[in-house]
Amino acid sequence: MDEALIRSLTPGVLTVLVRRGADFAAAEDAVQDALVEAVRGWPDDPPRDPKGWLVTVAWRRFLDAARADTARRRREDRVEEEPAPGPAPGVDDTLQLYFLCAHPSLTPSSAVALTLRAVGGLTTRQIARAYLVPEATMAQRISRAKRTVSGVRFDRPGDVATVLRVLYLVFNEGYSGDVDLAAEAIRLTRQLAASVDHPEVAGLLALMLLHHARRAARTAPDGSLVPLAEQDRGRWDTVSIAEGVRILQAALARDRLGEFQAQAAIAALHADAPTAGETDWVQIVEWYDELARLTDNPVVRLNRAVAVGEADGPRAGLAQLAALDDTLPRHTAVAAYLHERDGDLDTAARLYAEAAHKAPDLAERDHLVRQAARLNSRHRQRR
């Protein structure tokens, strides 16, 4: 079985069923049944038109379920509308499916979970692991999301802002998770940018390209995280950086600033610095001020505290940090970094160890443990 082919066909098959009138939950169940039958039969008898085969089988499974469900008798009328088997149209409907999954009635966390499940092809267990919740909890969340959009048709899609948010979350999940969805998120954002005249779409595309350009340098050969300041900038993708900067400049020229453009501007300043020491931290602080004004997001203010610590010294950064809620994600790790910059290595080591216990994933936890061990080793050497 070609798993990559199956993954690429699934969104289009699901979209065809929903367009024909199947509600989202029933359509996904029917597609899953068709995939099971494909796993059984394709190795011995592969179809000429895999997508058309999946559409035909999935639609029949949906109709079988509709007939058996007495509570949905009105769907019996669709039985005679079954189209004749034949080649399925070669249209990429994935972005339309994102609009359905990003319906405004869903919370961002439910929308991205539903998208990862229905479009990305991740299992419920994989998504639960990414969110650090029990599998049963995630299954309930996805089921609720499916019920919420079950009556939504493609003529009532979610708005662009919601789609952008889900694409961004999917990109981040693909960037750090065990299934690579980052490149797919970039592809779909390119499609959206080509079809929608919106500076924030361009801002998100620029942000993705600038972040993705650093991907090869983010981890060491042993899989450990490499902080931005320590990355080998020779491994950064300069072509993607140049494209991201060009797209960002065109978006900023329209003078309709949004949060994705501001984030991309910060990423561009990091990408523009030949070395970590040459980073224009003063300008980065100014962009964080704009971002905080646009979003009033406490995580933005946390990142701003780091930038202030670089621009004006660690004590200035610690003063900014003191005004923030210490339960914020990564607050303790930021405090550890700023204390180390200030020369208080004992406090920094303790905070790194504390932050490791709160880390959202294994790679970050291991990085923080190594930071604590490094400072404790230096402390022992001084004694």
Side-chain angles (χ1 to χ4, degrees), residues 169-245:
L169 292 170
V170 170
F171 173 80
N172 284 336
E173 182 55 42
Y175 198 61
S176 60
D178 59 353
V179 175
D180 187 358
L181 297 175
E184 175 69 357
I186 291 173
R187 183 184 73 84
L188 291 172
T189 305
R190 284 189 190 280
Q191 280 190 9
L192 189 59
S195 61
V196 176
D197 182 21
H198 195 302
E200 272 293 82
V201 178
L204 178 59
L205 179 57
L207 177 62
M208 288 178 173
L209 289 169
L210 290 164
H211 277 315
H212 205 57
R214 302 199 300 260
R215 182 166 191 172
R218 290 182 69 246
T219 54
D222 63 359
S224 59
L225 289 180
V226 179
L228 177 61
E230 300 172 18
Q231 289 178 14
D232 177 1
R233 299 183 179 221
R235 300 183 66 195
W236 289 1
D237 182 351
T238 55
V239 174
S240 292
I241 290 173
E243 182 186 6
V245 170

Side-chain angles (χ1 to χ4, degrees), residues 24-47:
F24 192 91
E28 199 204 9
D29 289 342
V31 171
Q32 294 300 320
D33 287 343
L35 292 175
V36 170
E37 192 162 332
V39 169
R40 292 172 179 164
W42 284 13
D44 297 325
D45 184 20

